Amino acid sequence: MSAEFAAKVFALVDGTDAAGFSRLFAPQGRMRFGNGEPMTGPEEIAAGVAGFFATIKGLRHTVVREWYAGADTIIEETVDYFRLAGDTVTVPAVTMFHVDETGLIDDFRVYFDLAPLFA
């Protein structure tokens, strides 16, 4: 994978474009967001991500470190969440994903503690 593809992933997420983000996934691609249940397939992922976006005003990822090994990507980041109340909460996170032979994501995982966002 590449830094360009990772930048596209984060640009779509930071733009709160759930549909565009979901189009990066293979038909049976899976996404696990924190400790939530995995979502499977672009439609389920789009709905789940859009549901989360509805709970915030917006968000911004800042890459801290990144690693690429073949089809695997690991990104350490901080994420600024702009809350509906008007303030901002920053949370450290790690995003890991794998792409299949067609270049679509087949496994996507985000590890973080969102408790501060909803406190």
Side-chain angles (χ1 to χ4, degrees), residues 79-108:
V79 187
D80 296 321
Y81 291 98
F82 308 110
R83 299 193 320 175
L84 296 174
D87 58 335
T88 302
V89 174
T90 302
V91 176
V94 172
T95 300
M96 302 168 41
F97 60 89
H98 179 270
V99 296
D100 66 13
E101 62 282 346
T102 69
L104 294 173
I105 299 169
D106 60 5
D107 186 26
F108 191 95

Side-chain angles (χ1 to χ4, degrees), residues 12-84:
L12 289 165
V13 172
D14 289 350
T16 62
D17 183 352
F21 174 69
S22 72
R23 286 192 288 275
L24 300 176
F25 283 79
Q28 292 302 310
R30 291 173 37 111
M31 177 180 180
R32 185 165 196 146
F33 190 67
N35 63 352
E37 289 297 315
M39 297 172 274
T40 303
E43 288 183 20
E44 188 172 328
I45 291 166
V49 171
F52 174 71
F53 288 160
T55 69
I56 58 174
K57 280 188 179 179
L59 69 165
R60 177 182 53 232
H61 289 77
T62 301
V63 173
V64 176
R65 294 181 68 191
E66 50 198 322
W67 299 266
Y68 302 94
D72 295 302
T73 298
I74 302 170
I75 307 283
E76 176 188 359
E77 68 255 8
T78 58
V79 187
D80 296 321
Y81 291 98
F82 308 110
R83 299 193 320 175
L84 296 174

